[in-house]
C-alpha cells in the first residue's frame, strides 16, 4: 500500500457527555423517532392516496389556485421592509444534513406546502408533470405499475422533485441520462416580480432553464416540472461482481463494470453502482430491466429486498465477497428504493442492532426513521458533534480520477463503505454551475462520449475510522481539505451537505457566470438570497444577509439597466 493510502495517525480524544448521549441515542430513536416516523409515513401515504383519487383536471385546478396565491404573496411583499424570500418549510424538514441556518435571519415566507401532486402522466410525450414536493416514493408508486419510470429515480423515498432539481440528484441510471435535472424538459417558475414563466432548453427562457440546477431556489420559486419518463420492465436483473485489490484496482474494476473499453453500447447496463467496503474489497452491481416472464423462469432467483425483515441491501451485496459473483432478480420498484430502509448504511450508526434478524423481523417495518425527525430531536451540541465527528459528503469527480479520490478519502477520512455512482456531465450549449473539463472530448478516456464527460459520485457517509477508534478528528478541517482537493481536480460538492467554502473558493469550484446573469436579469437580487449565502455554514444574521445582498444590488441593476 502506498504512503498516499496510509491513514493519518491521530492522538486519542477525550470523551465528553455528548459522546455518551450519541452512543445511547438509539433509545430516543426506538421510543420516539421510529413510532412518530411510522405514523407520519402512514399519514403521508393517506394524503398521497387522496391526491391520486382526484382527477388530473381537479389537481390542475388546485394547482392553478395555489400558484395564484404564491404570485399574490410575492406581489404583496414590501422590499423595503420585508426580509428576503424563502419557503415556509421548517428548517428541520429538509432531508439534507446541511443546517438551514439562513432561515434564522428575518425572512419573508412563501408557503409551497400544497404543491405535492402528480399533475399529469403523458404516455405519448413520455413525461410526468409534477409539483415540487412530490417525492420519489410517491412518483414511483404511480408510474411503475404502468411500466414507466422517471429516467433518474433517486434512491431514498423522501427526496423531493424540488430538492433534486434545485440541488442535486443522482441514481444508478445517471451514467446514461445524467443528473436528475438533466432529465427535466420544462420548469414552471414564479419569478421575483410574481410572473409565472415556463423555461425549456429552446424557448425565450432557455438561460433560466440552464441556470436553475444547483441554484438552491435562489432564482425563483419552482411550482411544477415536466420530467422525462422511460419504459421499464417489472424486474431488475442484478449482477453482483466482487472486486479485490488496492484502491486503484477497485476503481478500475468499477469503471470496467459499466464502461466497455471497446465502446460497444450494447454492453452498457441500465443501472450501475459500486460499494467499496474496505481498502482492498468492493462489490460492483450492474442491472438490466427484465420481464416478469424472464424473472420467473425456472432456476432464476427472485429477491424481494423491500420486505421489512430482509437483510439491509449493502450487507446483502457484501456477501458477494465470500460467495463470488451471482445474479438475482429484484422487483423494479423495490430495487429503486433499495437503500431507503437502512439509509444506505447510516442506519447502523443510528441503531447499532438494527441489522440483526430479531430486530428486522419484529421492528423492521418501522424503518427508516425520518431524517427530519432525527434532526428535530437533536440539540445544538449534538448537531455540532455530527459536524465534527461524522461525514456525509458527496464528491463528484471525473471518472478517471475515482482511484485518486478513493485514496484521498482513505487517507484523510477513512470512511467505509464508500458509494460509487457514475453520471454523465453533459457539455451544454450554455455553461451552468457545473461543467465538464475543457477539451475532455479529445482525450478519448474510458466512459466519455462526444457530448458528455463521465463523472462519479464518491459518496462518503459514516463515522471516520479515527472517531470509531476514539481518536481526534477535525471534521471541519477534513471538509476544507476535501473541498480544496475537489477544486484542484475539477470536482464538485453538492450543497445539501455541510460546506466550509468561503465565497471566493465557492466560485472557484462552481461557475457563477450564468447564475449571476440570471440573478440580475430576472430581478432575483434583493428578493432571494444568493446561493452562496444560502449554502454557507453557520448562522446568518439579518444584517449579514442584507449587507451581502446590498453589495450585489448596488451594481446588479445599474449594469442591467
Amino acid at each position: 500500500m502506498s504512503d498516499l493510502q496510509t491513514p493519518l495517525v491521530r492522538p486519542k480524544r477525550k470523551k465528553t457527555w455528548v459522546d455518551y448521549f450519541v452512543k445511547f441515542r438509539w433509545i430516543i430513536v426506538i421510543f420516539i423517532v421510529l413510532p412518530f416516523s411510522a405514523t407520519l409515513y402512514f399519514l403521508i401515504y393517506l394524503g398521497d392516496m387522496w391526491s391520486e383519487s382526484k382527477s388530473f383536471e381537479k389537481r390542475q385546478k388546485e394547482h392553478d389556485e395555489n400558484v395564484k396565491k404564491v404570485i399574490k404573496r410575492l406581489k404583496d411583499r414590501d422590499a423595503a421592509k420585508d426580509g428576503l424570500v424563502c419557503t415556509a418549510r421548517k428548517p428541520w424538514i429538509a432531508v439534507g444534513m446541511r443546517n438551514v441556518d439562513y432561515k434564522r435571519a428575518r425572512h419573508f415566507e412563501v408557503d409551497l406546502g400544497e404543491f405535492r401532486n402528480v399533475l399529469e402522466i403523458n404516455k405519448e410525450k413520455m413525461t410526468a408533470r409534477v409539483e415540487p414536493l412530490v417525492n420519489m416514493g410517491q412518483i414511483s408508486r404511480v408510474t411503475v405499475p404502468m411500466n414507466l419510470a422517471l429516467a433518474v429515480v433517486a434512491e431514498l423515498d423522501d427526496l423531493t422533485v424540488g430538492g433534486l432539481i434545485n440541488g442535486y440528484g443522482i441514481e444508478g441510471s445517471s451514467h446514461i441520462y445524467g443528473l436528475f435535472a438533466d432529465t427535466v424538459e420544462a420548469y414552471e417558475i414564479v419569478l421575483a416580480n410574481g410572473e409565472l414563466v415556463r423555461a425549456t432548453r429552446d424557448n425565450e427562457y432557455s438561460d433560466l432553464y440552464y441556470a436553475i440546477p444547483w441554484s438552491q431556489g435562489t432564482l425563483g420559486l419552482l411550482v411544477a416540472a415536466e420530467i422525462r419518463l422511460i419504459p421499464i420492465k417489472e424486474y431488475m436483473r442484478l449482477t453482483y461482481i466482487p472486486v479485490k485489490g488496492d484502491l486503484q484496482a477497485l476503481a478500475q474494476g468499477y469503471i470496467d463494470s459499466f464502461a466497455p473499453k471497446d465502446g460497444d453500447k450494447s454492453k452498457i447496463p441500465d443501472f450501475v453502482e459500486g460499494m467499496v467496503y474496505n481498502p482492498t474489497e468492493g462489490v460492483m452491481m450492474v442491472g438490466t430491466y427484465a420481464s416478469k416472464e424472464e424473472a420467473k423462469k425456472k432456476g432464476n432467483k427472485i429477491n424481494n429486498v423491500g420486505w421489512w425483515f430482509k437483510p439491509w441491501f449493502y450487507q446483502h451485496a457484501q456477501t458477494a465477497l465470500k460467495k463470488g459473483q451471482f445474479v438475482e432478480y429484484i422487483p423494479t420498484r423495490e430495487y429503486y428504493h433499495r437503500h431507503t430502509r437502512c439509509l444506505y448504511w447510516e442506519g447502523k450508526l443510528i441503531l447499532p442492532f438494527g441489522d440483526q434478524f430479531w430486530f428486522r423481523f419484529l421492528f423492521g417495518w418501522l424503518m427508516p426513521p425520518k431524517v427530519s425527525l432525527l434532526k428535530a430531536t437533536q440539540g445544538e451540541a449534538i448537531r455540532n458533534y455530527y459536524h465534527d465527528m461524522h461525514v456525509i459528503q458527496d464528491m463528484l469527480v471525473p471518472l478517471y480520477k475515482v482511484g485518486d479520490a478513493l485514496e484521498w478519502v482513505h487517507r484523510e477520512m477513512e470512511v467505509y463503505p464508500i458509494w460509487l455512482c457514475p453520471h454523465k456531465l453533459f457539455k451544454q450549449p450554455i455553461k451552468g454551475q457545473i461543467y465538464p473539463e475543457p477539451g475532455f472530448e479529445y482525450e478519448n478516456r474510458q466512459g466519455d462520449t462526444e457530448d458528455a464527460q463521465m463523472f462519479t459520485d464518491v459518496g462518503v457517509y459514516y463515522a471516520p475510522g479515527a472517531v470509531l477508534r476514539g481518536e481526534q478528528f477535525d471534521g471541519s478541517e477534513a471538509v476544507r481539505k476535501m473541498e480544496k482537493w475537489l477544486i484542484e481536480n475539477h470536482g464538485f460538492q453538492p450543497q445539501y451537505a455541510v460546506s466550509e467554502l468561503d465565497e471566493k473558493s465557492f466560485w472557484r469550484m462552481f461557475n457563477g457566470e450564468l447564475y449571476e446573469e440570471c440573478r440580475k436579469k430576472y430581478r432575483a437580487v434583493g428578493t432571494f438570497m444568493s446561493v452562496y449565502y444560502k449554502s454557507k455554514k453557520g448562522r446568518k444574521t439579518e444584517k449579514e444577509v442584507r449587507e451581502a445582498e446590498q453589495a450585489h444590488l448596488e451594481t446588479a441593476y445599474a449594469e442591467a439597466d
Side-chain angles (χ1 to χ4, degrees):
M1 185 178 290
S2 67
D3 292 338
L4 182 64
Q5 294 175 301
T6 304
L8 300 176
V9 178
R10 310 170 195 266
K12 290 290 184 179
R13 180 176 63 88
K14 184 178 180 180
K15 290 187 177 181
T16 67
W17 68 270
V18 181
D19 291 275
Y20 295 101
F21 188 91
V22 170
K23 182 178 180 179
F24 293 102
R25 194 183 177 201
W26 61 266
I27 298 173
I28 294 175
V29 174
I30 286 284
F31 293 105
I32 298 177
V33 176
L34 281 183
F36 275 93
S37 294
T39 302
L40 194 52
Y41 279 124
F42 181 66
L43 293 175
I44 292 172
Y45 173 76
L46 292 180
D48 293 344
M49 291 297 99
W50 170 248
S51 171
E52 290 169 26
S53 70
K54 301 175 187 176
S55 67
F56 285 122
E57 291 77 11
K58 183 172 178 57
R59 294 182 220 177
Q60 182 60 49
K61 183 179 179 181
E62 291 177 353
H63 173 78
D64 293 340
E65 291 172 353
N66 289 327
V67 170
K68 289 178 182 177
K69 292 177 183 177
V70 170
I71 292 172
K72 182 179 184 302
R73 177 69 173 161
L74 279 176
K75 289 185 174 181
D76 287 345
R77 173 179 175 264
D78 186 338
K81 297 179 181 179
D82 296 320
L84 297 174
V85 173
C86 67
T87 67
R89 199 179 191 193
K90 298 301 180 185
W92 50 270
I93 292 180
V95 175
M97 297 311 295
R98 172 175 58 84
N99 296 306
V100 192
D101 285 322
Y102 64 88
K103 289 192 177 182
R104 295 173 186 250
R106 185 167 64 90
H107 55 272
F108 185 82
E109 291 187 347
V110 178
D111 189 2
L112 300 181
E114 298 298 319
F115 289 85
R116 51 178 72 249
N117 288 320
V118 176
L119 298 174
E120 181 186 25
I121 301 295
N122 191 319
K123 295 182 181 180
E124 292 183 3
K125 293 173 59 180
M126 289 297 283
T127 58
R129 184 166 169 265
V130 301
E131 293 180 318
L133 291 185
V134 169
N135 65 36
M136 293 298 99
Q138 180 182 356
I139 187 66
S140 66
R141 188 167 54 244
V142 172
T143 60
V144 169
M146 304 177 187
N147 278 355
L148 298 173
L150 298 183
V152 174
V153 184
E155 291 91 345
L156 302 183
D157 287 26
D158 278 355
L159 296 174
T160 64
V161 166
L164 295 168
I165 286 172
N166 284 307
Y168 160 76
I170 192 172
E171 169 55 304
S173 58
S174 289
H175 66 297
I176 298 174
Y177 302 104
L179 297 176
F180 189 87
D182 293 316
T183 69
V184 178
E185 301 297 333
Y187 302 110
E188 295 174 35
I189 305 286
V190 178
L191 300 177
N193 63 358
E195 181 185 4
L196 176 65
V197 302
R198 185 174 186 269
T200 69
R201 292 181 179 87
D202 52 10
N203 73 357
E204 60 183 308
Y205 298 104
S206 60
D207 55 350
L208 186 61
Y209 173 88
Y210 288 107
I212 288 294
W214 295 71
S215 68
Q216 301 287 339
T218 60
L219 294 173
L221 297 174
L222 179 71
V223 292
E226 195 174 299
I227 310 171
R228 191 185 320 161
L229 292 171
I230 60 170
I232 63 169
K233 297 179 181 179
E234 296 89 348
Y235 284 84
M236 187 66 65
R237 182 185 187 275
L238 196 63
T239 303
Y240 300 79
I241 307 169
V243 180
K244 299 185 180 182
D246 61 20
L247 290 171
Q248 291 289 348
L250 297 184
Q252 190 58 52
Y254 157 73
I255 295 170
D256 291 342
S257 70
F258 72 93
K261 293 180 180 179
D262 60 6
D264 185 352
K265 293 183 178 181
S266 66
K267 298 178 183 177
I268 299 175
D270 295 321
F271 274 77
V272 61
E273 71 176 328
M275 284 184 266
V276 178
Y277 291 95
N278 57 57
T280 60
E281 295 180 317
V283 175
M284 312 306 154
M285 287 145 282
V286 293
T288 54
Y289 287 111
S291 66
K292 180 169 56 177
E293 291 73 23
E294 178 186 341
K296 294 188 175 182
K297 284 182 180 178
K298 186 176 180 180
N300 289 342
K301 179 184 177 182
I302 293 177
N303 184 5
N304 293 93
V305 298
W307 285 101
W308 76 92
F309 54 83
K310 286 282 188 171
W312 288 355
F313 184 77
Y314 83 96
Q315 294 179 339
H316 170 66
Q318 193 174 9
T319 62
L321 293 173
K322 290 187 177 180
K323 64 183 183 181
Q325 181 171 320
F326 66 95
V327 177
E328 63 185 12
Y329 292 79
I330 300 175
T332 296
R333 186 167 184 269
E334 294 182 25
Y335 175 77
Y336 286 158
H337 303 295
R338 61 201 178 279
H339 291 300
T340 290
R341 192 154 41 93
C342 57
L343 300 174
Y344 286 91
W345 30 89
E346 285 288 318
K348 184 66 175 174
L349 280 178
I350 298 166
L351 289 171
F353 45 80
D355 57 343
Q356 301 299 305
F357 176 76
W358 65 269
F359 181 88
R360 298 198 317 268
F361 187 79
L362 295 176
F363 304 108
W365 58 275
L366 289 169
M367 294 289 283
K370 283 190 76 69
V371 174
S372 57
L373 292 181
L374 289 172
K375 292 167 67 175
T377 55
Q378 67 182 23
E380 192 78 15
I382 304 301
R383 185 174 78 163
N384 291 335
Y385 176 91
Y386 281 122
H387 281 182
D388 292 335
M389 302 295 166
H390 189 257
V391 178
I392 295 185
Q393 295 284 345
D394 288 270
M395 303 168 64
L396 274 56
V397 301
L399 182 63
Y400 72 95
K401 293 187 177 182
V402 169
D404 296 341
L406 290 175
E407 289 181 338
W408 187 93
V409 171
H410 179 72
R411 173 175 166 77
E412 298 291 342
M413 294 179 172
E414 199 185 353
V415 170
Y416 291 98
I418 297 173
W419 188 59
L420 300 177
C421 185
H423 71 90
K424 280 186 173 181
L425 188 52
F426 290 100
K427 183 172 63 174
Q428 305 286 14
I430 305 178
K431 188 176 177 182
Q433 285 196 50
I434 65 170
Y435 54 95
E437 291 179 297
F440 77 90
E441 61 269 40
Y442 305 114
E443 299 294 335
N444 295 316
R445 296 190 184 100
Q446 192 173 355
D448 291 352
T449 57
E450 289 185 2
D451 65 337
Q453 183 177 12
M454 193 66 73
F455 269 58
T456 280
D457 181 339
V458 180
V460 188
Y461 328 123
Y462 210 62
V467 174
L468 296 176
R469 292 189 298 269
E471 298 169 359
Q472 292 181 11
F473 182 80
D474 187 336
S476 297
E477 180 61 22
V479 171
R480 276 191 286 271
K481 289 181 179 180
M482 180 197 76
E483 291 165 341
K484 182 175 182 292
W485 189 91
L486 286 172
I487 290 171
E488 292 171 349
N489 289 275
H490 197 84
F492 304 97
Q493 175 195 31
Q495 291 301 301
Y496 79 88
V498 175
S499 172
E500 299 288 343
L501 290 168
D502 58 33
E503 190 165 11
K504 182 178 179 180
S505 297
F506 184 91
W507 292 119
R508 285 181 62 207
M509 179 180 291
F510 300 102
N511 173 52
E513 185 177 352
L514 174 64
Y515 172 76
E516 291 295 349
E517 287 177 1
C518 287
R519 289 263 294 166
K520 297 170 187 176
K521 180 179 178 180
Y522 297 107
R523 301 279 173 168
V525 180
T527 301
F528 300 102
M529 187 181 298
S530 76
V531 67
Y532 168 69
Y533 274 91
K534 192 169 183 180
S535 304
K536 181 182 175 184
K537 178 182 174 182
R539 295 174 182 268
K540 281 81 170 174
T541 65
E542 181 183 350
K543 182 175 183 292
E544 177 190 19
V545 172
R546 284 281 185 183
E547 288 177 350
E549 282 300 290
Q550 188 62 33
H552 285 281
L553 197 60
E554 288 172 355
T555 58
Y557 297 146
E559 295 173 2
D561 297 337

